[in-house]
Amino acid sequence: MAAAMRRLLRAGGRRGAALVVAAGGTRSQTLRLIYTTTAAWKKNVAASGPEKYTEAFIKKQIEEFNLGKRHLANMMGEDPETFTQEDIDRAIAYLFPSGLFDKRARPMMKHPTEIFPEQRKIQWGEDGRPFHFLFYTGKQSYYSLMHDTYEKLLNVQKHQDQMAAQDLPPQKEKKNLVGSRWLTKTELEEMLLEKLSDDDYSRFIQLLQKLVTSPCGNIEENYIKKFSREISAQLQKVVIEPLKHDDRGVAFSTGEGERKTSRATVIVYDNGTGKITVNGIDVLHYFPVLQDREQLLFPFQFLDRVGKHDMVCTVSGGGRSSQAGAIRLASAKALRSFVTEKEVEFMRQAGLLTVDPRVKERKKPGQEGARRKFTWKKR
Amino acid sequence: MAVPRILRAAAPRLYSSLPAPVPAPAPAPAARSPGPGADDRLLTEPLSQPDFFNVKELFSLKDLFNARVHLGHKKGCRHRFMEPYIFGCRLDQDIIDLDQTMDHLQLALNFTAHIAYRKGIILFVSRNRQFCHLIESTAQECGEYAHTRYWQGGLLTNAPIQFGSGVRLPDLLIFLSSLNNVFEPHVAIRDAAKMNIPTVGVVDTNCNPCLITYPIPGNDDSPTAMELYCKLFKMTIIRAKDYRKQREVFHELQSKAEGN
């Protein structure tokens, strides 16, 4: 019996994580196999050769995960049936508090499909014959994709010839390519589960392009759609808000502006006398310097509406000059509602509606300031 | 003809007089799959006749002529070792001897049929871009494999590392064009010879027939010729595979009957 046990243990080989326990008993000396979890003695799976994760291994991991999830739910005193991934994360963070900065280094318990990357399983059957007819090329998914796309191209050309033979004009409706883009190389790699080179990718895109631009390419629209993605609208037309009226019947409009770290909101009223209030304080008191008041005046001066509007502003952050700039931008934005589209275009060209992107440049190590270097000494 | 005799001498196994297939000494125990005796019978049965699968009927000289198989390249492109296979030269263009082609084609198709009967892996290789799609479709339809793309260096010689350990290499390579895009002999010819894999290849007048086990002198540039070759190979492979299935079913029924 001891010899049999030794034989069993030796035969277990690499996966011999099974503890063989001989159950006592006079007649039947059964050997009970107790399996320990692989996590206890897991070797470096990533370093072992091409057959990294076999299907059986992944299946076992999933079973262990589900079992562990139930145990965890019991431990936390919650219902095992309704234990979601977020609950798991919270439970693990509670049971194994970690101060490590990298979130990926902290203990985690996720479903095996998230941990083990999706890999291609063994490509051939029991008799050794590969499943895919292009297996021996090395890049079977990519070349089979090229094969299928070329077949579609041949179909299209055949169709074209048929139409030409029947003297029918080629279809004029072309698929609008403006709002769509082709798959990126990474997306294609994910789709095929294979590494691609840049050359391969560009060849595939060229073939797709040829398919789309050929006269009867509309037939294969469904096929092409698989490889194109919609781009959401890039250019958004800026909507100028219409004038609002307050309870007195006076038209007003609001605008927001920023400059460096200042943020300003402005309400411009119609039928005014040119009175400006900033944070409840009159402009002459808030901005004693002429330069700042000139900045505030500029939009009105540009539109020849100097004494015609009242302004109520709130501004915070920054210094005096940046606050003035912020209010200027805000008031220009507010004035768009009072003015024709042509004048809005003039304002835009004058730079009144553009946010000034200049901010304070950071100081670099080894230098005194952003640009200033330490004094250079020859020796 | 000198050449076919040499070839026949080189491959005596196919034509030597084998002892009559020995029946199994005792009836095999009732098993679902045919027993070891039946396996022997399965394998030795096609070896009883020279042209067991009757591949001769698949093509005729007229077919080859109509498919322009006899047209070679210009005189300047001629390879020295192809001179025995060339019938003559007209207006500087070489004409391939179709009688020799017939014999070679029969040998090659017969060999392919035997490989397919024994469930070998057949790999179609060609580097001619014009017929890449045709050859891949042919391979797909027969249930065999094709490689008409860029040949990575270690495919045959370094296969366990490239594909994973336990990969099975092809048992036959069929070259539908034995040159690559730079008009040099395809690397796979040399690699197959290194790995002891037999090759069948269509050799044009500018190709080197040296390392190819069963060369087929013929045109590899015309679409009609390539379609003919693809059709012939497909028909032989399918025929051989169907025959194999038939015999397996027959042996299975026989063993069941014997068991009962």
Side-chain angles (χ1 to χ4, degrees):
Chain A
M1 202 217 68
M5 267 183 72
R6 260 185 269 123
R7 243 183 290 125
L8 254 170
L9 282 168
R10 233 180 289 129
R14 283 195 330 222
R15 289 189 206 81
L19 282 171
V20 181
V21 172
T26 46
R27 255 194 280 157
S28 56
Q29 291 207 319
T30 49
L31 298 170
R32 253 192 318 133
L33 292 171
I34 300 174
Y35 289 94
T36 59
T37 55
T38 52
W41 53 271
K42 204 156 69 170
K43 57 184 181 173
N44 190 0
V45 189
S48 65
E51 29 170 310
K52 280 181 195 162
Y53 317 120
T54 52
E55 215 177 307
F57 174 78
I58 299 272
K59 232 170 156 182
K60 206 157 162 208
Q61 293 291 312
I62 294 177
E63 277 167 26
E64 276 178 25
F65 172 78
N66 288 327
L67 199 60
K69 196 166 97 168
R70 296 186 76 88
H71 279 307
L72 191 63
N74 280 329
M75 267 194 269
M76 300 299 286
E78 301 209 23
D79 182 17
E81 305 297 328
T82 58
F83 206 57
T84 59
Q85 186 60 45
E86 285 122 23
D87 297 327
I88 296 176
D89 293 334
R90 258 185 288 122
I92 296 289
Y94 171 73
L95 291 168
F96 304 102
S98 162
L100 297 173
F101 289 132
D102 196 350
K103 297 276 191 278
R104 289 172 300 175
R106 296 186 179 181
M108 69 170 159
M109 183 167 160
K110 294 224 186 300
H111 196 261
T113 44
E114 287 172 48
I115 299 180
F116 298 105
E118 202 187 320
Q119 268 198 314
R120 294 228 248 116
K121 304 139 200 158
I122 295 288
Q123 304 290 330
W124 52 85
E126 266 179 23
D127 55 353
R129 288 184 77 102
F131 298 128
H132 201 277
F133 76 108
L134 290 176
F135 169 77
Y136 288 105
T137 56
K139 304 185 220 173
Q140 62 181 50
S141 331
Y142 169 71
Y143 284 131
S144 102
L145 183 71
M146 290 294 275
H147 177 83
D148 294 333
T149 317
Y150 190 70
E151 200 166 319
K152 305 284 178 207
L153 187 66
L154 287 177
N155 273 350
V156 162
Q157 283 171 354
K158 202 168 74 171
H159 191 258
Q160 224 174 304
D161 292 337
Q162 282 172 356
M163 300 287 263
Q166 295 166 20
D167 288 326
L168 288 168
Q171 291 163 307
K172 291 288 180 187
E173 335 126 27
K174 288 262 171 131
K175 182 172 179 266
N176 191 15
L177 287 171
V178 171
S180 58
R181 63 167 176 86
W182 295 120
L183 282 184
T184 57
K185 184 165 161 241
T186 357
E187 284 172 357
L188 193 61
E189 278 182 353
E190 270 171 57
M191 206 166 107
L192 299 176
L193 294 176
E194 237 176 31
K195 281 263 175 269
L196 288 180
S197 75
D198 290 329
D199 200 36
D200 292 337
Y201 171 72
S202 61
R203 272 184 191 267
F204 176 62
I205 298 295
Q206 276 169 20
L207 195 56
L208 278 180
Q209 202 73 25
K210 195 165 167 190
L211 188 58
V212 161
T213 49
S214 54
C216 301
N218 301 320
I219 316 166
E220 306 297 346
E221 233 180 272
N222 289 340
Y223 185 75
I224 296 168
K225 263 192 206 148
K226 287 188 231 167
F227 305 106
S228 62
R229 298 272 179 273
E230 294 287 320
I231 330 172
S232 49
Q234 290 139 326
L235 286 172
Q236 278 167 343
K237 201 160 165 71
V238 184
V239 176
I240 303 173
E241 293 197 4
L243 286 172
K244 286 168 274 195
H245 297 263
D246 67 0
D247 22 324
R248 279 180 298 142
V250 176
F252 72 94
S253 161
T254 41
E256 281 172 5
E258 59 214 25
R259 172 88 216 277
K260 279 197 188 173
T261 38
S262 309
R263 302 288 178 264
T265 25
V266 144
I267 313 172
V268 174
Y269 292 95
D270 209 358
N271 301 339
T273 50
K275 203 169 72 147
I276 305 176
T277 314
V278 184
N279 285 353
I281 306 169
D282 188 43
V283 68
L284 284 165
H285 296 293
Y286 198 84
F287 290 120
V289 180
L290 177 65
Q291 178 195 330
D292 304 333
R293 291 199 296 275
E294 271 179 358
Q295 287 284 299
L296 297 200
L297 190 60
F298 181 26
F300 301 97
Q301 208 177 18
F302 187 82
L303 297 168
D304 287 326
R305 287 164 177 254
V306 178
K308 297 180 193 162
H309 293 281
D310 276 343
M311 212 157 68
V312 174
C313 328
T314 38
V315 67
S316 61
R320 61 151 235 266
S321 192
S322 62
Q323 282 187 348
I327 301 175
R328 182 185 110 175
L329 178 62
S331 56
K333 281 192 182 170
L335 281 172
R336 282 181 309 185
S337 319
F338 290 92
V339 139
T340 58
E341 269 191 40
K342 223 176 178 182
E343 297 206 275
V344 170
E345 182 59 25
F346 289 149
M347 277 216 286
R348 188 192 70 86
Q349 288 188 0
L352 274 167
L353 299 174
T354 324
V355 177
D356 200 334
R358 298 177 290 173
V359 287
K360 191 165 174 153
E361 198 175 313
R362 71 161 269 203
K363 177 198 169 314
K364 282 105 192 175
Q367 292 176 354
E368 175 109 29
R371 299 287 172 104
R372 162 131 173 87
K373 321 280 185 280
F374 290 124
T375 316
W376 180 72
K377 293 226 173 74
K378 199 161 180 179
R379 33 190 83 81
Chain B
M1 299 276 177
V3 174
R5 252 185 276 130
I6 294 168
L7 280 167
R8 274 200 212 100
R13 283 184 292 131
L14 292 172
Y15 301 105
S16 63
S17 51
L18 284 166
V22 179
R32 267 182 296 127
S33 55
D39 264 346
D40 273 340
R41 257 177 289 153
L42 266 177
L43 292 179
T44 52
E45 191 191 335
L47 300 178
S48 51
Q49 293 156 44
D51 194 2
F52 185 77
F53 295 99
N54 201 9
V55 293
K56 270 211 187 80
E57 64 171 18
L58 294 174
F59 60 94
S60 69
L61 201 103
K62 188 115 173 66
D63 291 336
L64 293 184
F65 185 82
N66 290 337
R68 310 183 197 182
V69 165
H70 58 291
L71 300 174
H73 288 273
K74 292 283 192 179
K75 192 167 65 179
C77 296
R78 193 192 299 168
H79 192 106
R80 199 173 139 162
F81 295 148
M82 287 300 288
E83 278 161 21
Y85 303 119
I86 291 172
F87 183 73
C89 186
R90 178 182 163 80
L91 297 172
D92 268 9
Q93 188 181 14
D94 287 330
I95 307 293
I96 298 168
D97 189 356
L98 282 183
D99 292 319
Q100 293 190 50
T101 305
M102 290 271 285
D103 294 324
H104 283 87
L105 193 54
Q106 189 265 315
L107 288 171
L109 288 176
N110 182 42
F111 186 71
T112 330
H114 280 265
I115 295 273
Y117 179 84
R118 285 163 177 249
K119 298 195 176 164
I121 295 182
I122 300 179
L123 185 63
F124 288 86
V125 181
S126 164
R127 206 51 186 105
N128 198 333
R129 274 185 69 126
Q130 200 180 354
F131 308 113
C132 153
H133 189 260
L134 169 69
I135 293 166
E136 286 184 343
S137 322
T138 314
Q140 202 171 22
E141 281 155 28
C142 319
E144 297 297 341
Y145 307 88
H147 187 112
T148 55
R149 309 283 177 168
Y150 178 73
W151 183 272
Q152 287 175 321
L155 258 177
L156 291 180
T157 43
N158 202 18
I161 297 180
Q162 290 217 343
F163 295 116
S165 57
V167 67
R168 190 177 146 188
L169 286 180
D171 300 303
L172 173 66
L173 252 59
I174 302 185
F175 288 92
L176 286 148
S177 155
S178 68
L179 297 182
N180 60 17
N181 287 346
V182 226
F183 299 107
E184 278 166 15
H186 202 293
V187 177
I189 302 176
R190 189 201 66 189
D191 281 353
K194 278 189 187 176
M195 304 300 290
N196 289 341
I197 300 173
T199 36
V200 162
V202 174
V203 281
D204 206 347
T205 47
N206 56 355
C207 305
N208 186 352
C210 277
L211 284 176
I212 302 175
T213 338
Y214 289 92
I216 305 170
N219 190 5
D220 62 3
D221 297 299
S222 292
T224 41
M226 290 303 268
E227 278 165 14
L228 177 77
Y229 298 136
C230 286
K231 189 185 83 168
L232 289 174
F233 281 116
K234 189 161 80 170
M235 280 163 74
T236 36
I237 292 171
I238 291 176
R239 191 184 267 204
K241 283 184 170 172
D242 287 341
Y243 189 73
R244 171 70 184 230
K245 249 187 252 167
Q246 258 181 33
R247 299 313 291 168
E248 277 183 339
V249 166
F250 175 73
H251 282 295
E252 202 181 299
L253 291 172
Q254 209 179 40
S255 58
K256 260 198 206 145
E258 278 170 15
N260 292 344

